[in-house]
Amino acid sequence: HVDTSLNYKLANRQQYLRSLSDCSGIMLVAYPSRAPLDQEFDRVVDQSCLSADQESFLGKFENINYRRPPEVNGLGAVTLLNKWMAHGLRLKGGADDLGFLFFYEMMTGALNFRILSTDSPHNLAALLLRMLPPKDTQPSSFLMSVLRVFARNPALCVGYSAADCPKVPAVETSMFKMMFKGMDNPFSRTCKEVQPYLHRKRGLISW
């Protein structure tokens, strides 16, 4: 029994001395309480990917840049990651023109970017998603909601069971700038296709 009224360090000291006196090979350990975190990523439950009005959502954008990074691993991947982290990742592009489509392509297996050859691009994207600033991750957002669903539910975006998951349409160049209002482009097509897909899979989604 651990005396929980004691400071956890004192409680552990008490248990250690007790185990010595009893010649016991077992010792119960008390852990400090979890520190409260402000704007914690995993405390947000955002289901706007199922409810957002697509036309209204896309009408809020004027343009977005996406520079598709090279498909590399090893030192090349680490070098790029260091540069991106120094500049800061953003949901709508940022200094390195990554953003939503970068995360989406990695999570759906379309972008083979990894550190070790055995790594999962999906897992790396889920980790990098937590490097976004709170102003991107905390408010309700269609884009962020889609990425949250894919991060928590890899079976919906990669692998055999996700064969019908929408992919970003191929483009001729590695960088494109897209104007949204009234225009058809890879970003708007992906957004319009992924919402019906998630509605079909809504019974499988873990929030």
Side-chain angles (χ1 to χ4, degrees), residues 115-173:
I115 298 176
L116 299 178
S117 60
T118 55
D119 285 347
S120 160
H122 174 278
N123 290 346
L124 179 56
L127 174 63
L128 292 176
L129 203 60
R130 287 160 170 76
M131 302 297 108
L132 291 171
K135 60 184 175 182
D136 283 347
T137 63
Q138 296 301 300
S140 293
S141 156
F142 174 80
L143 299 182
M144 197 66 217
S145 180
V146 170
L147 296 178
R148 283 181 182 278
V149 167
F150 283 175
R152 289 183 60 87
N153 304 270
L156 296 183
C157 58
V158 66
Y160 178 78
S161 61
D164 56 337
C165 178
K167 300 294 192 293
V168 177
V171 293
E172 295 181 358
T173 61

Side-chain angles (χ1 to χ4, degrees), residues 183-198:
M183 294 190 68
D184 179 51
N185 52 68
F187 175 84
S188 63
R189 270 176 272 162
T190 301
C191 290
K192 290 176 180 177
E193 291 173 5
V194 74
Q195 189 177 58
Y197 170 76
L198 292 177

